[in-house]
Amino acid sequence: MGNCLKSQGSDDISLLQGGSDGNPAHQQSRSESYSSASPMNESQDHLPFYYPPPEGSHGNQVNEENQIRIAKRIGLIQNLPTGLYDGCKKNQESVSLDSICTCIICMVEFALEDPVRYLPCMHTYHKKCIDDWLMRRLACPSCLEPVDAALLSTFDTS
Amino acid sequence: MTDTAGLPRRIVKETQRLMAEPVPGISAIADESNARYFHVVVAGPDGSPFEGGVFKLELFLPEEYPMSAPKVRFLTKIFHPNVDKLGRICLDILKDKWSPALQIRTVLLSIQALLSAPNPDDPLQNDVAELWKVNEAEALRNAREWTRLYAGGN
């Protein structure tokens, strides 16, 4: 049944996919760059598999640049503080209860002891959710604040 | 009933909320056999040349959603500088400005807003945008005419 759903899904968006790119060769090179990037990710065994951001993945040279970029970004993300969720009472005054107690990415309420990551703008997310996003874009999903302007200038993240 | 097994909780929640508290002027209903595919209908906003029209769109949540944006396309023909002949939409939040804090609901609201405020300076359909810039009156006439012809408007 899973397969059935999947193939149906790709049929449904065939036009849309053609629309966003239109070039099958480009699509191909994207998937190659994903697979060649994976061995590096495996060494980061505590992190889930990340897809590099899709832009600019043409050819092998860029694959290598992408791998370097991924490594740099993983290093940068690891500098951001993490913790275990300890209840939603402490910041209650400023923001509505709902937005503090729920991870805006997965829309699931934080449970006590959930691993979370704190961004410099003070927005909090499940570690797993925000790490996945930060690999794609180094900005807070809620306020779009760059994650760390000072670090951004020393790490090449473009 | 749509099968929600194996579907991320976020998608289930968004779908339920779209049904329970629909956005005024917008309906989005999950396909019976594919919970990631939505049949969308947007009413042309009052005061726009699309007023009175009923515009069908399709919306698909890719495997990576919400890390990547939903894919949305007009199915109804529309004369709009930011929508091309295939119905593809030029909207920043569907491309580089996507954030997982956005939702199906906010995407559809943005599309509704795009109908009220066409942006010919960021065109997807160049000839339409050009006309919008050099002869807005004619562009608006065309948009109204297409709305009447294709979107069932009066």
Side-chain angles (χ1 to χ4, degrees), chain B residues 102-115:
Chain B
L102 298 167
Q103 306 178 15
I104 298 173
R105 173 180 296 269
T106 42
V107 163
L108 295 179
L109 277 168
S110 299
I111 291 171
Q112 198 181 39
L114 193 65
L115 294 186

Side-chain angles (χ1 to χ4, degrees), chain A residues 48 50 115-117 125-133, chain B residues 67:
Chain A
Y50 292 116
V116 291
R117 198 183 284 284
Y125 306 91
H126 285 126
K127 185 171 174 295
K128 187 171 142 284
C129 298
I130 192 63
D131 286 7
D132 195 356
W133 171 249
Chain B
M67 293 303 154

Side-chain angles (χ1 to χ4, degrees), chain A residues 1 5 8-9 12-13 15-16 18-20 51 104-108 129 132-133 136-137 141-142 144, chain B residues 3 9-10 13-14 33-34 37 58 60 64 66-67 71-73 86 88 96-101 103:
Chain A
M1 190 190 67
L5 272 175
Q8 190 168 358
D12 284 328
I13 56 161
L15 254 177
L16 293 166
S20 65
Y51 294 95
I104 204 169
I105 297 178
C106 64
M107 291 185 179
V108 174
C129 298
D132 195 356
W133 171 249
R136 295 155 202 266
R137 198 174 159 203
S142 300
L144 304 180
Chain B
D3 185 7
R9 251 187 83 186
R10 165 164 174 155
K13 277 193 173 179
E14 281 201 65
S33 59
N34 184 347
Y37 185 88
E58 59 180 4
F60 182 75
E64 292 181 32
M67 293 303 154
K71 293 173 183 290
V72 197
R73 190 174 75 95
L86 294 173
R88 296 174 301 188
D96 55 322
K97 294 286 167 17
W98 169 253
S99 148
Q103 306 178 15

Side-chain angles (χ1 to χ4, degrees), chain B residues 4-56:
Chain B
T4 56
L7 209 61
R9 251 187 83 186
R10 165 164 174 155
I11 296 180
V12 177
K13 277 193 173 179
E14 281 201 65
T15 307
Q16 286 169 346
R17 192 161 163 237
L18 282 167
M19 302 284 277
E21 308 161 44
V23 190
I26 297 174
S27 104
I29 295 164
D31 187 81
E32 282 185 8
S33 59
N34 184 347
R36 287 177 176 269
Y37 185 88
F38 290 76
H39 302 270
V40 178
V41 178
V42 175
D46 289 353
S48 77
F50 311 104
E51 182 176 348
V54 173
F55 297 88
K56 287 187 187 167

Side-chain angles (χ1 to χ4, degrees), chain B residues 43-88:
Chain B
D46 289 353
S48 77
F50 311 104
E51 182 176 348
V54 173
F55 297 88
K56 287 187 187 167
L57 297 93
E58 59 180 4
L59 181 149
F60 182 75
L61 303 176
E63 185 65 30
E64 292 181 32
Y65 181 83
M67 293 303 154
S68 33
K71 293 173 183 290
V72 197
R73 190 174 75 95
F74 273 89
L75 296 173
T76 303
K77 258 175 87 106
I78 181 167
F79 193 84
H80 191 291
N82 310 110
V83 181
D84 77 1
K85 289 191 175 71
L86 294 173
R88 296 174 301 188

